[in-house]
Amino acid sequence: MKNNRGSIARAGNALRNVLLVLTMFFVTVPMLVVVWTSIQPNTYPKFPPTQFSLKWWNEALTGEWMRPLALSAEIAGIATIISVILGSAAAYALARSNSRARTMLEGFLTSPLLLPEIVISLAVLQFISMFGGSWLGPELLIAAHVTIGIPFVVRTVGVSLVGVDPLWERAAYDLGASRLRTFFTITLPLMKSGIFAGALFAFIMSFNNVELSLFLTSRSATTLPIKILNYMEFEYSPSLAAVAVTGMAGILLIAVIASRFTRMTDFIGGR
């Protein structure tokens, strides 16, 4: 009986490993194709590869593409900071609240995760038109991106606060620490893993966002995803692959830095 159970367990582990390898292959191969497209000389990539060239990078690393890239990074950075501040405060309040409305409020704050972003963008656009406004631009994009960033921060910070015993804070109060000092010396260090994870998710969602940006950008303020989308509508060039690799490299660098402060697996599906 024990041998049968051991065989079943080994077979299950082998199947899981195979599925994991296939999943990683499915996710990684398209990115490798994009990277290869950016460093080969032909307009349409050929296989097997024959030679390498960086000529498409010369077209990508110009003001035409760097300005939208910088704007996307700026919008994502500001939206992430605001999302972290508001989302962390909301998550802490929810974690320490015993109110009956707690579940309702938490559902309200995380509701943007349940709605398609196209619906949110149309709602924001309709809200603006109701007041006769035409002030499309970075400020409006930041506000819209905050709405999709807060739910991630609320979720990840809430998960990190599950392991924080309120008695630790009460002990600090009993020892004479103020609420502000207790928060910065006891609570905040225990929340930081959730804050970094939420900030990473919020930044990626904002930087790569298409739906909200599609409706809320103006000609003078176009983000990188919308610039790529508009370019592909009329022509194709491997320089787009170089631009995409630049964006992916930036996000990967941020993810590597964030991984030094938190384990992302703790916040995928909860602990």
Side-chain angles (χ1 to χ4, degrees):
M1 182 68 69
K2 291 183 178 179
N3 292 334
N4 291 335
R5 290 180 179 177
S7 300
I8 294 174
R10 286 191 295 271
N13 291 333
L15 179 61
R16 183 186 62 182
N17 293 334
V18 169
L19 292 176
L20 179 61
V21 170
L22 291 176
T23 301
M24 293 301 297
F25 180 81
F26 180 78
V27 172
T28 305
V29 167
M31 292 190 290
L32 295 178
V33 171
V34 173
V35 173
W36 162 240
T37 303
S38 69
I39 58 174
Q40 53 80 45
N42 304 307
T43 302
Y44 296 96
K46 296 180 180 179
F47 189 86
T50 55
Q51 54 184 328
F52 298 93
S53 174
L54 297 178
K55 72 174 185 177
W56 305 117
W57 285 85
N58 294 330
E59 297 181 12
L61 299 178
T62 59
E64 180 185 6
W65 293 106
M66 291 299 102
R67 282 190 294 270
L69 176 64
L71 180 62
S72 292
E74 180 183 358
I75 291 174
I78 297 175
T80 298
I81 293 173
I82 298 175
S83 298
V84 165
I85 294 173
L86 298 180
S88 298
Y92 180 78
L94 289 171
R96 295 293 178 263
S97 174
N98 294 320
S99 172
R100 295 181 178 179
R102 172 184 172 182
T103 303
M104 183 183 302
L105 182 58
E106 184 176 4
F108 172 75
L109 291 174
T110 57
S111 60
L113 295 176
L114 305 176
L115 295 174
E117 292 181 17
I118 189 76
V119 174
I120 299 176
S121 60
L122 288 173
V124 173
L125 192 62
Q126 186 176 11
F127 178 79
I128 296 171
S129 64
M130 286 174 58
F131 293 92
S134 58
W135 31 281
L136 299 179
E139 296 80 7
L140 181 61
L141 265 180
I142 291 171
H145 286 189
V146 167
T147 63
I148 62 174
I150 286 179
F152 290 98
V153 179
V154 170
R155 171 61 178 161
T156 57
V157 174
V159 170
S160 67
L161 284 171
V162 170
V164 180
D165 194 333
L167 292 177
W168 298 346
E169 296 174 336
R170 294 176 186 174
Y173 298 152
D174 292 341
L175 293 174
S178 64
R179 288 185 175 273
L180 189 62
R181 184 175 182 182
T182 299
F183 177 79
F184 281 103
T185 57
I186 303 295
T187 311
L188 186 59
L190 297 172
M191 291 170 53
K192 71 176 183 179
S193 61
I195 291 175
F196 277 107
L200 177 61
F201 286 129
F203 184 89
I204 292 175
M205 290 298 297
S206 176
F207 186 84
N208 292 325
N209 184 272
V210 174
E211 292 85 354
L212 286 172
S213 304
L214 183 63
F215 286 91
L216 304 179
T217 53
S218 61
R219 291 185 178 180
S220 59
T222 302
T223 60
L224 183 62
I226 302 305
K227 175 70 175 179
I228 293 176
L229 187 65
N230 292 337
Y231 190 91
M232 292 180 63
E233 185 177 358
F234 300 103
E235 58 183 300
Y236 167 78
S237 171
S239 59
L240 293 177
V243 174
V245 171
T246 303
M248 287 192 299
I251 292 176
L252 180 61
L253 177 61
I254 294 173
V256 170
I257 295 174
S259 67
R260 297 183 62 86
F261 298 93
T262 181
R263 293 186 305 170
M264 300 306 298
T265 53
D266 290 343
F267 303 96
I268 301 176
R271 286 182 179 174

